[in-house]
Amino acid sequence: SDNLLEEIFIKRSQQKKKTSPLNFKERLFILTLDKIAYYDYDLDKGKKKGLKGTVGIDKIKCVGTVQPEPCAPAERLYPFQIIYDEGPLYIFAKSDEVRKQWLHKLRHVVRFNKDLIQKYHPCFWMDGMWQCCQQEVKQAMGCRMLEN
Ligand code: 4IP
Ligand code: ZN
């Protein structure tokens, strides 16, 4: 279906396996009515390359901002999260405006989802712990009510 939004963002690796590295990659994100997809991108040619991952809109349980890491580098000051079965996908916008725009669109496309949750973790999952509530189980229920 048609692209609703398109933007180059930094994303954190989802660490689907215990052995997955923690790293940050620049990807082209495309939001449509059925999915959010991210692609490798050729900055010089300004061209989309291979598909790296997708999250189905119907799988999304919650979207929201994330508290930036303490001493976050300038390019990681405006994080947001897309929470689905696999856990959170962390994405970093270049400004609060762009982050707001994406969250607004995302909330709109997920609004009729079956499994929306109102509790989330406002800080990162990092070093085997939720930095907000110190819970050490990744699946642990969110510790704060979604406001916005
Ligand atoms: C990869 O690290 C990339 O960060 C992947 O991101 C990421 O996949 C992998 O995490 C991680 O291991 P290397 O490139 O150093 O191998 P991308 O797909 O954007 O390239 P995600 O799942 O974040 O897309 P795991 O958890 O999938 O292994
Ligand atoms: Zn928490």
Side-chain angles (χ1 to χ4, degrees):
S1 60
D2 292 345
N3 296 352
L4 301 174
L5 287 175
E6 213 176 303
E7 191 82 45
I8 295 166
F9 286 132
I10 293 170
K11 62 167 277 291
R12 200 178 99 168
S13 53
Q14 293 184 68
Q15 299 182 282
K16 291 174 179 169
K17 289 160 280 172
K18 279 254 162 68
T19 54
S20 299
L22 176 66
N23 57 32
F24 300 87
K25 308 260 172 177
E26 210 161 43
R27 299 291 179 225
L28 173 69
F29 280 81
I30 299 182
L31 175 67
T32 61
L33 282 176
D34 31 87
K35 61 181 183 293
I36 182 163
Y38 50 96
Y39 299 83
D40 198 3
Y41 189 74
D42 187 325
L43 273 174
D44 299 327
K45 292 183 180 158
K47 260 181 68 179
K48 189 167 87 178
K49 299 205 306 190
L51 176 70
K52 298 305 260 184
T54 58
V55 178
I57 295 299
D58 58 326
K59 302 280 184 291
I60 297 174
K61 296 177 172 172
C62 187
V63 299
T65 61
V66 186
Q67 282 291 114
E69 314 139 77
C71 310
E75 68 274 18
R76 299 211 298 263
L77 290 176
Y78 304 100
F80 62 101
Q81 54 185 325
I82 294 172
I83 302 165
Y84 68 112
D85 317 305
E86 302 273 1
L89 168 59
Y90 293 124
I91 302 171
F92 301 82
K94 282 164 194 72
S95 69
D96 188 42
E97 280 82 44
V98 174
R99 178 170 67 175
K100 275 201 185 106
Q101 180 192 32
W102 276 73
L103 286 174
H104 185 83
K105 262 295 185 327
L106 280 163
R107 288 198 186 100
H108 183 76
V109 298
V110 306
R111 71 198 183 285
F112 298 131
N113 281 6
K114 291 275 180 328
D115 305 315
L116 289 176
I117 51 172
Q118 313 94 309
K119 282 188 131 187
Y120 78 120
H121 295 285
C123 301
F124 288 106
W125 170 260
M126 186 91 83
D127 304 324
M129 191 187 278
W130 290 106
Q131 297 302 307
C132 30
C133 55
Q134 274 66 55
Q135 295 188 85
E136 294 177 1
V137 180
K138 202 174 183 184
Q139 300 306 321
M141 202 200 294
C143 61
R144 187 176 302 178
M145 287 298 287
L146 205 57
E147 313 129 0
N148 315 287

